[in-house]
Amino acid sequence: MKNQTKFVWQGRNDGDSPLHHKVFQRVEIVENYENISPNNFVLYGFAVDEGVRRNKGRIGAAKAPDIIRKNMSNFPVVSPDFKLLDFGNITSEDRNLENTQENLAEKVSKILQKNGKSIVLGGGHEVTFAHYSGIKKAFPNQKIGIINLDAHFDNREPQNGVGASSGTGFWQIAQEGEIHSLHIGIQKNSNTLKLFDTAHQFGMKYILADEIFFENLPKIYHQIDELILSVDQLYLTICMDVFNASIAPGVSAAAYNGIFADATFLHFYRHILKSEKLVALDVAEVNPDFDIAERTARLAASLVNEWFMIS
């Protein structure tokens, strides 16, 4: 378990004027929490997919953080106050997922205590429990809301001898107290009736993938706003397998009937990003081994960049 050497940010330089700046020109790569100013974005890569392996998925997501970074680097900077601090990748050499999750949680907590905004690039979706744990450490007496864009509930109970995995995050969160979550993009053919029943028992609200269409936006907005109004801090986690395989082929579990990053999606996605309660965001399950022309990594990078553009 360690932090890897920092990624070398680079890209096309169109000029030194702030009007010409790209993301790579506004990145600071020294891991120093004292350098964090309020509303700075602080990035960690969670280069771990041990949870995917335990969940019997297709491993490879541990390679994703730097590829997502590469696809982030040339996006234009649209705010003069934009600053991104990249604190490197967290890895797990000994397959001790639990210790690695705790490591990330401690770092996220420090970021949020300095009023920074936490971004994590996965890695497997086992990042959810780690990221949430860090938010909870920073705000122990506040209500943390989670919006999960995912085809799966990830509320499977850990199996004996296997432990936590990429599919157990919300089960783990629910063991620590009342859960406040909204899951968008859930697929009926990706979750057993047992998992739907568990979601109901835990009070996990959800919107099926079949319900995501333009005419249904008012209902989607209402459910999002209902959650946001009920919590103190908001965390957005995105499993890339929520998207259709044609635009996100590089994931552990590709979905032929997943959602699209179209106008309907961007309507409610940007609405979430505009919330002043949003303090943390991650993207998970990009698997470069199965990607096509870095299509999935580019989409993941674009989703992160939307937050940069709105903030």
Side-chain angles (χ1 to χ4, degrees):
M1 179 174 60
K2 62 181 182 179
N3 278 32
Q4 290 181 336
T5 304
K6 304 296 187 295
F7 174 77
V8 179
W9 287 86
Q10 57 188 337
R12 172 175 164 173
N13 192 331
D14 291 332
D16 294 328
S17 163
L19 294 176
H20 293 94
H21 278 186
K22 306 285 186 67
V23 167
F24 77 92
Q25 292 167 278
R26 298 285 189 91
V27 177
E28 182 178 304
I29 58 172
V30 178
E31 188 178 15
N32 183 346
Y33 297 97
E34 297 305 314
N35 290 354
I36 301 173
S37 297
N39 294 319
N40 284 168
F41 292 96
V42 187
L43 171 66
Y44 274 105
F46 189 70
V48 178
D49 57 10
E50 170 62 16
V52 177
R53 187 191 67 81
R54 294 182 184 183
N55 203 29
K56 299 181 173 60
R58 303 192 297 182
I59 61 172
K63 305 172 187 175
D66 283 356
I67 296 174
I68 300 173
R69 282 183 175 95
K70 184 184 79 170
N71 282 280
M72 290 168 58
S73 62
N74 264 326
F75 285 120
V77 172
V78 299
S79 167
D81 300 321
F82 172 78
K83 184 178 180 182
L84 175 64
L85 288 74
D86 183 358
F87 287 175
N89 288 342
I90 292 171
T91 64
S92 179
E93 307 300 332
D94 57 3
R95 289 188 172 180
N96 190 326
L97 175 60
E98 291 74 15
N99 282 355
T100 309
Q101 289 174 316
E102 179 61 25
N103 183 22
L104 177 61
E106 290 289 346
K107 294 175 183 298
V108 167
S109 177
K110 292 178 183 178
I111 292 167
L112 298 179
Q113 287 169 2
K114 298 289 289 186
N115 294 314
K117 296 180 178 180
S118 175
I119 295 175
V120 181
L121 308 178
H125 213 191
E126 58 264 37
V127 70
T128 300
F129 182 65
H131 210 168
Y132 171 84
S133 297
I135 302 166
K136 196 64 179 174
K137 284 177 183 290
F139 306 110
N141 299 315
Q142 296 192 32
K143 189 181 293 186
I144 312 301
I146 312 170
I147 295 180
N148 178 35
L149 304 182
D150 198 344
H152 307 89
F153 282 118
D154 288 347
N155 60 359
R156 184 176 292 112
E157 185 173 355
Q159 300 298 307
N160 291 336
V162 177
S165 75
S166 61
T168 64
F170 285 92
W171 186 92
Q172 293 172 271
I173 292 169
Q175 305 315 298
E176 300 192 348
E178 188 178 4
I179 192 168
H180 312 281
S181 63
L182 175 63
H183 304 254
I184 303 176
I186 293 294
Q187 295 278 1
K188 287 184 177 180
N189 64 359
S190 298
N191 300 273
T192 63
L193 291 177
K194 167 64 176 176
L195 298 180
F196 273 95
D197 184 58
T198 300
H200 292 151
Q201 289 182 27
F202 288 163
M204 298 164 62
K205 309 297 183 184
Y206 60 88
I207 299 171
L208 297 172
D210 292 346
E211 298 177 283
I212 299 175
F213 51 91
F214 187 80
E215 293 78 6
N216 203 34
L217 273 175
K219 181 180 178 182
I220 295 171
Y221 270 75
H222 174 74
Q223 289 180 263
I224 291 170
D225 289 342
E226 190 173 44
L227 174 74
I228 293 175
L229 288 170
S230 71
V231 300
D232 301 307
Q233 308 291 341
L234 182 65
Y235 160 42
L236 173 61
T237 180
I238 306 165
C239 184
M240 294 302 294
D241 68 20
V242 73
F243 294 104
N244 188 279
S246 63
I247 63 169
V251 295
S252 177
Y256 78 93
N257 58 344
I259 67 175
F260 286 90
D262 56 9
T264 299
F265 170 80
L266 288 174
H267 264 288
F268 72 77
Y269 182 68
R270 288 170 177 162
H271 181 68
I272 296 168
L273 297 181
K274 289 176 183 176
S275 172
E276 294 182 356
K277 295 180 180 180
L278 183 63
V279 296
L281 179 152
D282 58 50
V283 289
E285 300 281 350
V286 173
N287 190 328
D289 291 345
F290 299 96
D291 212 355
I292 300 171
E294 298 184 0
R295 193 180 300 170
T296 315
R298 178 72 174 181
L299 176 56
S302 299
L303 295 174
V304 174
N305 189 64
E306 287 286 338
W307 198 18
F308 296 162
M309 295 179 70
I310 284 174
S311 297

